[in-house]
Amino acid sequence: MIKSIFASICILFSVSVFAQEGSDFPMQKLPQENWQIQGSKWETAGNVVLNPLNTKKSVITPGNGILVAKASSGVLSSGLATQDIKLKFRFVLGAGADTRFNLGNGIAVLLENTGKTSGVTGSISIDNGKIITPLADAGKSVGLWQTLELVYSPAKTASESTVIEKLVLNGLTIHENVFISNQKASSVNDKFTFDNQQGFFAVKDFEYLQFGNNKPVSLSELSYTLQETNGFDRSFEAKATPPVSGKTPVLSYDVPNDYNRYIINFKGKLKVDEAGKYAFTMDYQGAGYLKIDGKQVTGSKEWTYREPMTGMIDLTAGEHDFEYQYQTIFWRPAMGLFVSSGKIRPYALHVSSSLPLPEMKGGVFAEPSGDKAQLIRSFVFFKDKKRTKVISVGTPQQVHYTFDLDNAALLYAWRGEFANVTDMWLDRGEPQVIKPIGLKTELSGRVPFYANGGSPLDSVDVYREFINTSYSLNDQGLPKFNYKWKNSTFSLEYTPSGSDLNVSVNASDYNGFSILLDQGQEIVKIENGLYQVDDHYIKTDPKLKPEIISAGKSKQLVTGLNKQLNYSIIW
Amino acid sequence: MAGILLFGGVASAQNRPLTEDDFYKIITIPSPEGLELEVGGLAILPEGNLAASTRRGDVWMIKNPYMLNNSMPSYKKIAEGLHEALGLNYLKNKLWVTQRGEVTILNDLNGDNITDEYQTFYKWPLSGNYHQYSYGPLEMPDGDMIFTLNLDWIGRGASLSKWRGWMLRMTPDGKMTPWATGLRSPAGFGLNKAGDIFYTENQGDWVGSGRITHLEKGDFAGNPSGLLWSGEEGSPVKLKVSDIPDTGEPLYDVAKRVPGIKPPAVWFPHTLMGISLSDIIESGNDGKFGPFDGQMFVGDQGHSKIMRMYLEKVNGVYQGACFPFREGFSSGILRMKWGIDGSMFVGMTSRGWSSTGKDKFGLQRLAWTGKTPFEIKTIKSMPDGFLLEFTQEVNKETALNPESYELNSFTYKYHHFYGSPIINSMKLKIKAIQVAEDGLSARLVMDSLRLGYIHEFKLEGVQNKANQPLLHNVGYYTLNQISTVAPKLDVVKYAVKEKVAAVDHSQHANMPKTDAKAANSAKRIVVMPAEWNGVVDQTIKIGTKPGLKFDIDKIQVKAGAKIRLQFNNNDDMLHNLLILKPGTVDKVGMAAFELGLEGATKNYVPDLEEVLFHSAILEPETSETIYFTAPSKPGNYTFVCTFPGHYTLMQGTIRVR
Ligand SMILES: [Cu+2]
């Protein structure tokens, strides 16, 4: 037992299998032929638009790519062995659906919305009947496509634990390093399967990376040159002191020298046993770069404190020229290098003494207590930019939202836990941003009002024209945001309703305005009063009949504003 | 007191040296467990209540903050969801709060004392930089309000959105006029009786040391970043960024060449008089706060203390002196407000910056005990020197003795660098002394007066009639103008006796100005001793981190080992490193502080046997290696930085075994 935990912990302290966004390994698609459809009650489809109100009204287009279980379709095997793996797929549930994603050895992830006490989507069931509930209910509403990602390490012998290293549902980590003991050793005959016990279920985009435990990349013939530098200047000018050089058996900053600040440059050979695409991750405090065959793979001139940087490169089998340069700044020296690929987990090419464990902070979290909403004003990142006049409202009903006061624009709605405010309230709070914790959907972030006959505005003068005059709180502590524009007044209110968010808009004095309800890449009318906008629904009065219009690459859902308007956001 | 009575009786209690606590008591206003009362603003409410806004964006109503008859205060949250609320005031029967991006009026529509409407009074753009702090309102006699906006911090001060680095004035109906710029980190500002505005500035880029500047419409106080907006509509400032020379000359001299630059009324020498000035409030004229009616009190965040400032107007220009007043508060002081009984509420936070008061936040009250401390009450400019007024009658013999005084003058560089060394320091000689008949003042005539310079007064020898020393014997007068109102003193009649071969007071000023860095002294060996033959037993690296910390807190060495210690100052402040005998850190730390102006030339290392080894004082991002032989006696030795204000936090242990 101890040994197996130790092995797993080593993995924890190295670089995550989830690489940085944008530099993830291309995963392997599981071909449709792999699925053992024949003889099962499962079907294939080209497109599925589920009607959440009435599954029977769903539109299922014939074709390939999607595997559909209409009801009690039983088991479908992926044909993929339950070995050391990272996998990802998308799925959709109809009302009352209950499907198990079996990981072998009697372990299953429950994909369901039956409302049964056995758990919610993302619960793990073990064959002894035990249910491990997720850290958060991250399941989306009926009819919306969901994404599940899993890093899984089954027990190789009966004395080892099976480890659910990470289970991410719709972007939220719901299990991390769950150790399941008293298992059989996994067998090559165990396959990942879906077992549709009841209700509608469909799955698509099943991808994976299988990990071996070999180490196909190694370093040899390492030598170093160390040059003292001139202060902390970003120019890194070398001093007149002579460089120090030598040979080293290992990659480590710790080579004998008398200098405080220096550039250390390692050169050597990178031996690659197996050709393929590899990712190299530099982790250091300072600045540096990695070059392979003279080409920079990763690194930065910017001063970086323990923010791993990953670059990918295609390598042929054989030897390659290796160069690793590291510059100490004013932090203690620390440098490391990890390699990974679609076939191997990351492992270190440095010695562990060269890169100590990073210091972790406990964090500051906000959660509404009592029976009233909690308000937090902050900056927030929205579509990669900082919005600076933002208020977030957390409710005891656990449905929360973030609102741009200047632009009267809803930015995020989410449910579950409220907010991570570490970046605001720990130390100086330099980023000063709030981070929603729960299952989040992103809204348009645009000024919603515009004059009839025009089109939604890209921006408006929020200091002289479109003025946020105040917000007032009702007896639940929920704000009503008040605006003045063109001699009219507007107000906006957001109220939790079950797991949805209701929006109430009021306009006074003049009715020459239209409203942008939402904007997305894709807007699908499901039925009167129900529109799917990317990853959420907008539900209006069926009589309202908003228009879907095109605006460049996106679609907009708009309608006239006649004094009072209510709609809800469902995700 | 009970303990003293027990051991020595009343007599010893009276004979012990008097401390600040004998005259001004700090009373802690406790807050409930779990309430992060990081005070950003304080407001005095009717009916004896107090309101505090916090950095986490709440406003708390505190009832019974005076805690009379040992009763407990109570706390109630009356608003929340404000963005780093660093300004609060009760004006026109309402609470006004300044958030990062706007001024908000807190309305209670249903009368339950809880804010249910947040009304935007005025707003400005934000860049998203954490350093965009905003402060106010301060009410002017005519009902207008004053606000200030910090610069951004991007490794230097910058104005990344409109009016950062400015003071703004607003009418009650929300009409804004840009008032003055050149501000860097204007966390505190206040009015005097005449209705003139003074603001406090922190050492930083273009700011050699903390200071207080009188801001009139159109003034430019020194940091050029805000000049980015001087061409905007409504700007009363005409200077452009390119008008500001970056020569390192004293600001006063540059201001003579470049009209529009406003020299400060009073410099607060860095580390001698705080390190980060915050709030500023003027005492009333009712005597409720002791003998300093009409003087101003200035808080300091980093040193958790309050200083006192006397201002006078000479030839239409404000200038004056600052004095130590009261230290020992529990956290970093940001806000000060007068309570209805004439005591002072002090609101504190130190998160993100450290302070000598170690708590993360706090609320205290400072009350006068009714006893008058023996203090330098004022320093006033005279045509040939200065007039010093005292709060008590002096022992004339001591006041007439020139050896009771030590006088220097110095100034700072005006340049884009962060802070400044002390420059052009000069020892001043007293030529004549006249002590007033009533013993309450002394005129000093000196050999040199320099305009724009800080004149330091150290009155170690002056005593009152009970032969007690001054509670605080220093003051720093910034001389912008020389007053010619009073006649000159008869220097023949009041000449001081030149003592032949007396103690040479000028010795420290005449010390050879060797480069402190190059010196090899017994306790600071920077070159490996030849007898080591190039062999070092152990190399130690110690660095510094922001927030007054070393990057390591425990080191182990072998007794008698030959040690090479490399000290890297990675922080953006000055630090040194001393190795001390076990258990002596407080003594050494305090002695280093007492070095005063001499500190810089002595690397802030006091001449004490408790100091075993030390480095030089290191500029940011520099390093020094020292060599020493570890003590032969095992024990827990201390390594510490003795830069003033640092030693209580910046310590570590060297275990010798
Ligand atoms: Cu220090």
Side-chain angles (χ1 to χ4, degrees):
Chain A
M1 253 326 271
I2 288 167
K3 201 176 168 193
S4 71
I5 287 176
F6 180 71
S8 301
I9 283 169
C10 285
I11 293 161
L12 305 186
F13 289 152
S14 68
V15 172
S16 167
V17 173
F18 284 82
Q20 286 162 301
E21 233 171 282
S23 61
D24 229 346
F25 273 103
M27 291 169 74
Q28 224 164 316
K29 284 201 180 351
L30 190 69
Q32 190 171 302
E33 305 82 75
N34 243 61
W35 297 97
Q36 287 156 27
I37 301 166
Q38 260 165 4
S40 79
K41 293 183 191 164
W42 290 66
E43 303 169 13
T44 66
N47 194 25
V48 172
V49 177
L50 206 71
N51 185 324
L53 305 176
N54 187 344
T55 308
K56 288 188 181 127
K57 286 191 184 168
S58 301
V59 182
I60 300 171
T61 317
N64 288 313
I66 305 179
L67 300 149
V68 177
K70 282 186 176 156
S72 311
S73 301
V75 174
L76 175 69
S77 174
S78 67
L80 188 66
T82 59
Q83 64 169 49
D84 215 358
I85 201 164
K86 172 184 173 182
L87 60 82
K88 180 176 177 178
F89 59 83
R90 304 191 71 202
F91 67 95
V92 65
L93 300 174
D98 183 2
T99 296
R100 308 174 137 241
F101 176 48
N102 292 311
L103 313 183
N105 234 337
I107 304 168
V109 181
L110 305 184
L111 310 175
E112 63 150 304
N113 55 21
T114 59
K116 285 190 298 197
T117 51
S118 58
V120 290
T121 286
S123 288
I124 294 167
S125 141
I126 307 174
D127 60 358
N128 63 10
K130 194 176 170 193
I131 298 286
I132 303 168
T133 51
L135 295 171
D137 180 359
K140 286 193 187 176
S141 288
V142 168
L144 293 169
W145 283 97
Q146 315 197 45
T147 306
L148 184 145
E149 293 168 86
L150 171 72
V151 184
Y152 182 62
S153 171
K156 280 152 201 87
T157 67
S159 63
E160 273 189 357
S161 290
T162 289
V163 186
I164 311 248
E165 285 173 35
K166 199 158 184 165
L167 184 60
V168 179
L169 181 62
N170 299 318
L172 289 184
T173 298
I174 56 170
H175 296 282
E176 207 157 17
N177 300 309
V178 176
F179 290 78
I180 301 167
S181 54
N182 302 320
Q183 300 294 304
K184 303 187 295 276
S186 72
S187 146
V188 284
N189 299 321
D190 282 348
K191 310 287 186 206
F192 290 108
T193 65
F194 289 100
D195 180 358
N196 175 240
Q197 302 196 333
Q198 68 178 62
F200 184 96
F201 177 83
V203 58
K204 66 177 180 181
D205 299 341
F206 195 106
E207 304 175 315
Y208 67 99
L209 293 172
Q210 278 174 323
F211 301 122
N213 52 11
N214 55 328
K215 294 187 172 175
V217 175
S218 57
L219 289 172
S220 61
E221 295 173 46
L222 273 184
S223 64
Y224 63 86
T225 307
L226 185 142
Q227 177 78 55
E228 187 170 25
T229 56
N230 200 1
F232 296 110
D233 284 354
R234 282 180 194 260
S235 60
F236 302 155
E237 287 163 56
K239 273 188 181 171
T241 47
V244 176
S245 56
K247 289 196 181 303
T248 173
V250 292
L251 187 65
S252 167
Y253 74 83
D254 195 12
V255 299
N257 75 87
D258 288 340
Y259 300 150
N260 170 27
R261 289 179 293 273
Y262 51 81
I263 294 173
I264 185 161
N265 183 282
F266 296 91
K267 285 205 170 83
K269 294 291 174 203
L270 188 77
K271 220 172 123 241
V272 178
D273 297 340
E274 194 183 327
K277 188 184 276 294
Y278 289 91
F280 290 89
T281 301
M282 292 182 97
D283 189 0
Y284 54 63
Q285 38 211 52
Y289 62 75
L290 169 72
K291 285 182 181 175
I292 294 175
D293 295 331
K295 195 183 134 209
Q296 181 163 340
V297 179
T298 185
S300 172
K301 283 179 187 160
E302 294 299 317
W303 302 350
T304 306
Y305 190 87
R306 299 302 298 269
E307 285 168 45
M309 282 171 282
T310 300
M312 297 220 237
I313 185 171
D314 285 306
L315 294 174
T316 55
E319 283 190 343
H320 297 267
D321 288 335
F322 170 87
E323 182 184 351
Y324 185 114
Q325 179 156 307
Y326 169 62
Q327 159 90 40
T328 58
I329 309 292
F330 34 76
W331 303 295
R332 297 197 145 248
M335 54 157 259
L337 178 66
F338 299 88
V339 63
S340 58
S341 81
K343 295 176 179 173
I344 49 159
R345 293 161 175 280
Y347 65 91
L349 293 173
H350 59 271
V351 288
S352 61
S353 62
S354 185
L355 188 70
L357 300 183
E359 257 179 69
M360 310 286 265
K361 303 253 180 178
V364 189
F365 301 90
E367 208 56 57
S369 58
D371 55 358
K372 286 199 177 179
Q374 179 180 9
L375 274 63
I376 297 177
R377 190 157 165 166
S378 68
F379 302 150
V380 77
F381 277 112
F382 181 76
K383 298 189 197 292
D384 294 332
K385 280 202 181 120
K386 241 183 204 178
R387 297 266 181 136
T388 59
K389 305 279 184 68
V390 165
I391 199 152
S392 298
V393 179
T395 73
Q397 294 78 24
Q398 298 212 297
V399 174
H400 323 294
Y401 67 91
T402 291
F403 181 80
D404 178 342
L405 287 156
D406 267 357
N407 295 296
L410 193 61
L411 304 178
Y412 299 116
W414 71 98
R415 60 172 173 262
E417 287 180 54
F418 181 35
N420 181 341
V421 288
T422 309
D423 284 347
M424 301 174 57
W425 294 344
L426 189 79
D427 300 332
R428 292 181 192 182
E430 297 199 17
Q432 207 54 217
V433 294
I434 195 168
K435 289 181 182 159
I437 297 178
L439 178 70
K440 181 178 80 174
T441 188
E442 187 177 292
L443 287 307
S444 79
R446 299 179 61 131
V447 185
F449 307 110
Y450 63 100
N452 281 347
S455 52
L457 303 168
D458 285 328
S459 66
V460 61
D461 182 339
V462 299
Y463 295 94
R464 273 163 292 201
E465 289 184 33
F466 184 75
I467 308 294
N468 174 209
T469 52
S470 68
Y471 59 88
S472 49
L473 305 183
N474 67 14
D475 53 10
Q476 299 169 65
L478 293 169
K480 174 166 146 187
F481 303 102
N482 302 310
Y483 292 84
K484 231 188 217 159
W485 192 33
K486 300 190 180 191
N487 300 318
S488 293
T489 59
F490 303 90
S491 72
L492 287 158
E493 274 180 281
Y494 301 88
T495 314
S497 165
S499 58
D500 310 335
L501 189 66
N502 284 354
V503 185
S504 172
V505 187
N506 275 278
S508 72
D509 305 335
Y510 173 69
N511 290 323
F513 289 96
S514 292
I515 182 165
L516 172 71
L517 297 176
D518 207 350
Q519 173 169 338
Q521 296 300 303
E522 201 68 62
I523 301 183
V524 178
K525 181 178 172 185
I526 307 283
E527 60 173 59
N528 279 346
L530 187 66
Y531 300 83
Q532 186 176 350
V533 183
D534 297 338
D535 66 352
H536 57 259
Y537 296 113
I538 297 291
K539 192 176 174 191
T540 67
D541 183 333
K543 283 177 248 152
L544 187 70
K545 303 205 166 81
E547 260 184 280
I548 300 170
I549 57 174
S550 288
K553 283 183 186 163
S554 39
K555 301 271 192 328
Q556 294 173 331
L557 190 64
V558 300
T559 185
L561 180 57
N562 190 2
K563 288 196 170 156
Q564 225 274 328
L565 173 70
N566 293 306
Y567 64 97
S568 51
I569 301 162
I570 302 165
W571 68 99
Chain B
M1 281 308 272
I4 291 166
L5 289 171
L6 197 66
F7 290 111
V10 178
S12 83
Q14 284 172 344
N15 287 342
R16 72 181 163 80
L18 296 171
T19 65
E20 290 173 348
D21 191 54
D22 290 305
F23 306 100
Y24 290 90
K25 288 270 180 222
I26 296 175
I27 303 144
T28 297
I29 301 155
S31 58
E33 187 84 31
L35 199 180
E36 300 275 321
L37 196 73
E38 302 175 323
V39 178
L42 285 179
I44 303 298
L45 302 182
E47 295 135 27
N49 298 331
L50 178 71
S53 65
T54 72
R55 291 175 70 190
R56 293 193 173 193
D58 301 330
V59 180
W60 292 83
M61 158 109 86
I62 304 156
K63 293 201 166 191
N64 190 26
Y66 299 91
M67 298 162 59
L68 301 182
N69 310 318
N70 295 325
S71 50
M72 280 294 285
S74 70
Y75 286 74
K76 187 175 181 183
K77 183 154 78 172
I78 55 169
E80 68 170 23
L82 301 161
H83 200 180
E84 202 125 13
L86 297 182
L88 184 69
N89 211 339
Y90 186 75
L91 303 173
K92 305 167 194 17
N93 297 317
K94 280 178 177 166
L95 277 168
W96 296 60
V97 56
T98 299
Q99 314 189 46
R100 284 180 178 276
E102 71 169 57
V103 183
T104 310
I105 302 170
L106 305 181
N107 293 316
D108 169 23
L109 303 178
N110 64 7
D112 65 355
N113 292 321
I114 308 283
T115 302
D116 40 33
E117 185 186 63
Y118 295 74
Q119 181 190 340
T120 302
F121 174 71
Y122 192 87
K123 66 178 178 180
W124 45 74
L126 294 173
S127 67
N129 187 281
Y130 81 99
H131 208 257
Q132 287 202 334
Y133 299 116
S134 309
Y135 315 98
L138 170 72
E139 194 177 38
M140 299 293 289
D142 65 357
D144 280 6
M145 287 165 285
I146 296 284
F147 301 85
T148 58
L149 309 183
N150 251 42
L151 290 179
D152 299 71
W153 180 253
I154 49 169
R156 62 187 164 82
S159 183
L160 299 185
S161 61
K162 203 163 166 184
W163 308 122
R164 301 314 304 189
W166 285 73
M167 177 174 276
L168 308 178
R169 183 171 180 144
M170 293 179 206
T171 62
D173 59 358
K175 217 172 143 273
M176 190 277 284
T177 315
W179 185 256
T181 189
L183 285 56
R184 196 189 84 82
S185 192
F189 41 104
L191 299 176
N192 65 359
K193 299 272 172 325
D196 289 324
I197 306 165
F198 296 86
Y199 97 100
T200 68
E201 186 61 274
N202 280 207
Q203 189 199 45
D205 44 343
W206 298 95
V207 185
S209 182
R211 64 192 184 200
I212 287 176
T213 307
H214 167 219
L215 288 181
E216 294 169 286
K217 190 174 185 180
D219 276 342
F220 165 72
N223 186 301
S225 307
L227 292 177
L228 193 61
W229 313 106
S230 64
E232 294 285 316
E233 192 191 327
S235 164
V237 180
K238 295 292 159 260
L239 289 167
K240 298 185 293 294
V241 176
S242 57
D243 294 333
I244 308 304
D246 186 12
T247 56
E249 296 161 272
L251 185 143
Y252 184 89
D253 297 348
V254 176
K256 276 195 291 194
R257 279 206 321 272
V258 184
I261 301 182
K262 185 74 167 270
V266 177
W267 286 98
F268 282 61
H270 196 63
T271 72
L272 304 170
M273 293 294 292
I275 52 170
S276 46
L277 305 188
S278 53
D279 226 351
I280 173 171
I281 53 172
E282 191 188 60
S283 170
N285 281 328
D286 49 12
K288 283 182 175 170
F289 199 66
F292 305 113
D293 279 0
Q295 297 201 12
M296 294 181 113
F297 293 90
V298 178
D300 193 85
Q301 194 175 29
H303 276 180
S304 304
K305 68 182 179 187
I306 292 172
M307 293 162 288
R308 179 166 61 86
M309 178 173 82
Y310 167 75
L311 282 178
E312 60 176 345
K313 210 169 183 180
V314 178
N315 303 332
V317 176
Y318 279 109
Q319 60 187 30
C322 56
F323 308 92
F325 178 65
R326 184 63 163 104
E327 58 184 21
F329 289 87
S330 61
S331 182
I333 297 177
L334 185 60
R335 292 289 164 242
M336 290 136 62
K337 279 271 162 78
W338 295 115
I340 46 176
D341 64 348
S343 67
M344 184 196 288
F345 286 104
V346 179
M348 293 168 279
T349 164
S350 63
R351 170 163 59 83
W353 287 268
S354 25
S355 57
T356 49
K358 286 181 187 178
D359 293 350
K360 202 167 82 169
F361 54 84
L363 180 63
Q364 295 183 310
R365 192 163 66 89
L366 186 64
W368 182 41
T369 60
K371 283 194 221 162
T372 295
F374 178 38
E375 294 270 44
I376 311 168
K377 187 175 177 179
T378 70
I379 302 176
K380 293 176 175 168
S381 168
M382 292 285 136
D384 44 9
F386 295 91
L387 175 73
L388 277 62
E389 293 177 309
F390 300 95
T391 56
Q392 293 176 352
E393 243 179 277
V394 293
N395 170 331
K396 285 186 183 164
E397 196 185 323
T398 63
L400 283 167
N401 182 354
E403 288 185 28
S404 295
Y405 305 85
E406 201 183 307
L407 309 177
N408 295 286
S409 65
F410 60 94
T411 188
Y412 295 103
K413 290 183 170 190
Y414 177 48
H415 56 192
H416 76 274
F417 294 102
Y418 199 100
S420 162
I422 283 171
I423 59 165
N424 306 343
S425 178
M426 189 169 88
K427 171 104 188 148
L428 305 177
K429 213 161 135 189
I430 298 178
K431 286 160 63 183
I433 304 176
Q434 178 197 33
V435 176
E437 202 60 30
D438 59 8
L440 286 172
S441 66
R443 278 258 324 241
L444 305 181
V445 176
M446 44 246 283
D447 61 345
S448 155
L449 293 175
R450 288 190 289 177
L451 285 174
Y453 278 67
I454 300 149
H455 292 71
E456 180 193 50
F457 294 81
K458 267 188 152 171
L459 279 61
E460 229 161 294
V462 174
Q463 295 179 350
N464 63 9
K465 295 201 78 172
N467 294 325
Q468 290 165 321
L470 285 155
L471 183 61
H472 302 100
N473 59 27
V474 295
Y476 297 89
Y477 189 97
T478 299
L479 188 66
N480 291 322
Q481 297 278 330
I482 295 172
S483 172
T484 53
V485 175
K488 287 195 175 185
L489 200 65
D490 181 340
V491 290
V492 178
K493 185 174 173 192
Y494 296 105
V496 299
K497 286 184 202 115
E498 288 278 350
K499 272 200 182 173
V500 185
V503 179
D504 181 5
H505 268 279
S506 61
Q507 77 180 29
H508 89 262
N510 294 343
M511 246 181 5
K513 287 247 185 316
T514 49
D515 179 3
K517 308 244 150 182
N520 223 0
S521 73
K523 294 181 180 180
R524 176 168 160 250
I525 312 277
V526 296
V527 178
M528 192 192 293
E531 61 271 23
W532 288 17
N533 293 321
V535 179
V536 169
D537 297 324
Q538 190 179 346
T539 295
I540 300 167
K541 290 186 185 184
I542 300 178
T544 61
K545 293 201 290 196
L548 302 186
K549 283 180 200 136
F550 290 111
D551 66 356
I552 194 162
D553 52 16
K554 271 192 204 77
I555 289 168
Q556 194 156 299
V557 301
K558 249 175 93 179
K562 298 187 184 82
I563 307 291
R564 174 206 280 134
L565 189 157
Q566 186 182 304
F567 175 47
N568 304 323
N569 183 11
N570 312 324
D571 194 15
D572 59 6
M573 299 172 139
L574 298 169
H575 299 291
N576 64 10
L577 186 146
L578 282 67
I579 294 168
L580 311 180
K581 287 186 178 170
T584 62
V585 67
D586 288 321
K587 178 179 176 186
V588 174
M590 279 187 262
F593 185 77
E594 300 288 317
L595 290 171
L597 272 188
E598 269 183 61
T601 51
K602 292 194 163 172
N603 289 311
Y604 298 96
V605 178
D607 193 9
L608 292 175
E609 58 153 358
E610 284 83 356
V611 179
L612 298 176
F613 315 105
H614 67 88
S615 74
I617 188 85
L618 295 190
E619 301 266 332
E621 304 188 353
T622 61
S623 74
E624 181 171 280
T625 301
I626 60 169
Y627 298 84
F628 61 89
T629 304
S632 52
K633 197 174 158 204
N636 286 343
Y637 293 72
T638 307
F639 64 93
V640 61
C641 169
T642 57
F643 189 78
H646 292 194
Y647 83 88
T648 54
L649 294 163
M650 232 174 141
Q651 303 184 6
T653 303
I654 294 194
R655 181 156 185 215
V656 176
R657 52 183 306 177

